[in-house]
Amino acid sequence: DKYLLLSGMLQGADYGILLYGSGSTVWQLPFEGNIISGSLHPKALFAVFNIIGNDAKQRLQVVGPTGETLWEGTFREPIYKIKALEEGICAIAGDRACLLDYDGRPKWEHEFSGQVLRGDIGDDGSFAAVIKDHAGNLSQNIQHILIMLSSQGKEICSYSLDAPVNIVYKDRDHVYLVDDDGIMVLSQEGLLISNIKQKGIKQLTVADKNYIIANHETFSLLLESPMGR
């Protein structure tokens, strides 16, 4: 709440910028390549950027409190999601979920049996990822599976899905899955809590425990959350 992490183009280069809440600049740093996303440590001690380099390789770059680069490393698979927490850097790549320290050393890794399609990371470091996998060793049928991991990388549950998922949103207690027909809400243990029928959702925002904002192509809806009052 006291800082704002931004990225943008300046004189033909991508920059990462950390601002105080008042709007004054903490640091401003040019990057080689294009910034895809970023995440700020809860106390603003570190900023982590997900970057596609000029060589088309994807990398993470960790910036310290005064704008100095502390570590950078490439991944062999695309990086879909990053989150900077007290415990380290949480990341979902195309084949795995992992927790790294701020020097880039892995604390744990969890390899998935299939390709990651979507995923999200909660503020507590827990993971929710949707993977595409074969139904069996000899089968050509593809199935989509939700896999939920604890903040220690332990598998909590797996959930076979009936339809492809467009959006995954993870908070501390629930997982929200959006497909073409609406929103499924699951508990932290993978139990189905609610199924909200609403076609055409393009973006989902969980405003608070009482309300969900569903953005469509040309309009938005305020929905009452099943976990509300």
Side-chain angles (χ1 to χ4, degrees):
D1 294 334
K2 298 178 181 178
Y3 297 90
L4 183 64
L5 185 67
L6 302 173
S7 68
M9 186 74 71
L10 180 64
Q11 297 179 346
D14 267 30
Y15 274 74
I17 304 167
L18 182 63
L19 302 178
Y20 289 111
S22 61
S24 59
T25 301
V26 182
W27 50 255
Q28 180 173 302
L29 187 68
F31 289 85
E32 293 184 4
N34 299 113
I35 298 172
I36 304 302
S37 61
S39 183
L40 188 64
H41 180 276
K43 296 181 180 178
L45 299 177
F46 308 98
V48 184
F49 290 94
N50 178 15
I51 302 166
I52 293 183
N54 299 325
D55 55 1
K57 292 182 179 179
Q58 202 160 355
R59 74 179 191 273
L60 294 184
Q61 187 165 335
V62 178
V63 178
T66 58
E68 72 279 18
T69 295
L70 301 179
W71 173 82
E72 58 182 308
T74 58
F75 276 59
R76 62 177 178 268
E77 293 286 336
I79 305 168
Y80 290 105
K81 189 75 177 183
I82 57 172
K83 200 172 193 75
L85 298 174
E86 293 277 3
E87 299 79 9
I89 305 163
C90 299
I92 300 177
D95 61 346
R96 69 190 62 217
C98 62
L99 176 66
L100 309 173
D101 67 19
Y102 284 97
D103 292 318
R105 294 184 294 259
K107 292 187 172 184
W108 58 256
E109 288 187 340
H110 180 98
E111 291 193 23
F112 297 116
S113 59
Q115 177 190 355
V116 174
L117 301 176
R118 300 279 189 276
D120 198 19
I121 304 167
D123 289 338
D124 59 350
S126 58
F127 290 70
V130 174
I131 68 168
K132 179 175 69 174
D133 202 358
H134 290 285
N137 292 333
L138 301 178
S139 175
Q140 296 301 312
N141 294 327
I142 298 297
Q143 60 181 357
H144 291 185
I145 303 170
L146 171 70
I147 297 177
M148 296 168 58
L149 304 176
S150 70
S151 58
Q152 290 77 41
K154 304 298 183 183
E155 186 169 318
I156 298 172
C157 69
S158 61
Y159 191 98
S160 183
L161 302 170
D162 296 329
V165 171
N166 304 320
I167 300 170
V168 179
Y169 178 83
K170 176 78 178 72
D171 65 14
R172 285 182 176 269
D173 301 314
H174 304 97
V175 177
Y176 300 80
L177 304 177
V178 179
D179 60 21
D180 290 342
D181 292 324
I183 308 168
M184 285 195 303
V185 185
L186 306 178
S187 71
Q188 182 82 306
E189 295 75 31
L191 300 175
L192 181 63
I193 295 175
S194 181
N195 200 340
I196 304 170
K197 295 297 182 182
Q198 184 65 230
K199 292 181 179 293
I201 297 174
K202 302 298 183 183
Q203 185 178 2
L204 187 76
T205 303
V206 180
D208 56 29
K209 69 176 183 178
N210 296 315
Y211 297 106
I212 299 170
I213 301 171
N215 298 110
H216 292 63
E217 195 73 50
T218 58
F219 65 94
S220 298
L221 292 174
L222 185 63
L223 306 174
E224 189 169 355
S225 171
M227 280 72 66
R229 299 185 182 94

